[in-house]
Amino acid sequence: IRTSRENPTKSPEKMAHVIRALSELKVRYLVTIGGDDTAYTSSQVEKEAKGKIAVCHVPKTIDNDLPLPPGIPTFGYETARELGTKLVENLMEDAKTAARWYFVIAMGRSAGHLALGMGTGAGATMALIPEELGKTYSLRKVLNILEGAIIKRLSMGKDHGVAVIAEGVAARLDPQEFSFVKDAPRDEHGNIRLAEIPFGTILKDEVTKDLKEMGIKITIVAKDIGYELRCNPPTAFDRQYTRNLGYSAARFLLDGGSGAMILFKDGKTTPIPFADLMDPKTGKTRIRTVDIHSEIYQTARRYMIRLNPDDLKGDALKRLADTAKMSPDEFKKRFGEF
């Protein structure tokens, strides 16, 4: 089948061409497969077809960010997470053997589901996702989190670790501070091509420089884990899930349905109307982000080796400050923001 990043919603002419082509091919039923951009395009095709073509969408993205109910993944996510977890496990072993840190940049343009899933699945030292940082933030905030984790590990006698970082962290950096965010190339849907930003290298260089100024010598390797996750043979879960979605989509259309995304939950098909997928502010598909107040995230966070408020008290603070060759007050001032 292959894939396309073309965006027919960019102009009335392009959309008219799509409708005309489908009509000439005598297409009566259309099932679109993809993420938030494809879901939006699907809704517009259904609208412009004016009943001549029945359209539905099935949720496919390794980002897991389509607006499905909590606990219901998009197909492809579990397969990507499985491979990503294995790759992170391998890097953890290498980090331990070679006494180094890895900064792993994982796919996830708008949400941190994949980075968090890979990190917790592998038991990585930590994961960092944009949802926990705010709408816009400075690079210093990101650096402090990473440096704090490294210092904490060193204070525990561990000179190695793996931090899994969602690529979407780069997208929310203050554009006034970093022109690469503002000037970054974009795809046909207006999304920043995050894979073309050397974010891991930027983090590695800045953290290495900061730690060197503290007298800490550490080896950090930047590693992107991205496109290869989309090409892994599907897990048993995704094989069964896609059969259910495909069958449900065909049955929905043949039974007279149209204009919805297929939801398969509790063994039943529950189509979600396209209108319910849209964000009223943007007019585009809503993005499901990681709920940082959920027990799933809170559990994951507790298992990470990162600075927390309890670290800035008593003996723990003194141990960290000594590792960073700072006074306790200096350490609190530098790393006290959570």
Side-chain angles (χ1 to χ4, degrees), residues 42 79 126 182 203 265 270 286 313:
S42 183
T79 294
M126 61 164 290
K182 181 174 60 177
L203 294 177
K265 179 183 179 183
T270 308
R286 285 185 290 111
K313 302 174 184 176

Side-chain angles (χ1 to χ4, degrees), residues 46 73 83 96 158 182 207 241 245 251:
E46 199 268 343
L83 176 58
K96 180 180 179 181
K158 305 292 184 180
K182 181 174 60 177
V207 170
Y241 187 27
L245 286 171
R251 189 181 67 183

Side-chain angles (χ1 to χ4, degrees), residues 1-5 30-34 38 58 60 75:
I1 297 177
R2 303 184 74 181
T3 187
S4 172
R5 292 299 298 168
L30 176 65
V31 179
T32 59
I33 304 170
T38 307
V58 291
K60 187 282 304 176
F75 88 75

